[in-house]
Amino acid sequence: MFVFVGVIWCVFLVGLVLPFNINSLGITPRSGAGLVGIPLSPFLHANLKHLLSNTVPLTILLLLLAGSKANSPTIVVSIVCIGGALLWLFGRPSTHVGASGLIYGLIAFLLVSGLLERRIGPLLISIVVGFLYGGTLLSGIVPDLGSQVSWEGHLFGAIAGCLVAVLLTNRGENSKAQIA
């Protein structure tokens, strides 16, 4: 978890000295070159303020995820890929960068999986996440067409988090039913 956040910081610092704009590797919807941005965009940030605003919530949410789930890397990769693919398919024509799609995906994942699992630990984490980030989740997915903030990246990240929670929770229930 700390390695993941550390890599994001390293990419930002390396980007400062590269002779090209590293953010051009972000998600550019419906372009072949923009496909590379699906896995790369969480590591790219427009500026230091953008990076700082993503670092704290990402660290907290990754800690909560690691404390609640055994397969955190699969969950993170799934949210990044599904949310990024949806953004590539349906986002406005611009280059989208940043870890906020992953952040919104983790918020949604932790909320939904906590409710679906019906176990006290995940449910408590869901309550904490709802308290800390519920308002952010709701306000961040509202379209703000005049802003450079990728509200659609937030929205598709949240959708991806919900999908991953439902898929992983259902898989667990189905495999228990087959064993019994």
Side-chain angles (χ1 to χ4, degrees):
M1 184 262 329
F2 290 114
V3 171
F4 187 82
V5 175
V7 169
I8 291 172
W9 275 86
C10 287
V11 168
F12 178 77
L13 295 173
V14 167
L16 294 175
V17 297
L18 288 176
F20 67 95
N21 182 1
I22 194 169
N23 290 335
S24 65
L25 300 174
I27 299 172
T28 305
R30 295 166 304 284
S31 77
L35 285 170
V36 72
I38 293 173
L40 295 182
S41 67
F43 300 97
L44 306 172
H45 288 81
N47 53 46
L48 184 59
K49 180 182 175 188
H50 184 209
L51 177 60
L52 289 170
S53 69
N54 280 334
T55 297
V56 172
L58 183 61
T59 303
I60 291 169
L61 291 164
L62 287 171
L63 276 170
L64 290 170
L65 179 66
S68 70
K69 298 289 171 195
N71 207 350
S72 298
T74 298
I75 293 164
V76 169
V77 169
S78 298
I79 291 170
V80 167
C81 291
I82 294 168
L86 289 171
L87 180 57
W88 186 85
L89 286 170
F90 302 112
R92 63 186 145 156
S94 181
T95 301
H96 302 261
V97 297
S100 56
L102 174 58
I103 291 167
Y104 280 75
L106 290 170
I107 293 168
F109 176 86
L110 290 166
L111 287 171
V112 172
S113 67
L115 296 173
L116 293 176
E117 287 188 29
R118 298 185 186 127
R119 293 183 311 140
I120 192 69
L123 187 56
L124 288 174
I125 289 173
S126 180
I127 291 168
V128 168
V129 169
F131 178 74
L132 291 174
Y133 297 110
T136 301
L137 177 66
L138 295 175
S139 67
I141 61 173
V142 175
D144 184 1
L145 302 177
S147 172
Q148 290 189 340
V149 173
S150 178
W151 64 267
E152 57 265 65
H154 299 169
L155 174 63
F156 295 130
I159 290 170
C162 290
L163 286 171
V164 171
V166 168
L167 290 172
L168 291 181
T169 302
N170 285 342
R171 184 186 311 156
E173 288 175 3
N174 290 340
S175 53
K176 286 178 192 170
Q178 292 171 355
I179 293 170

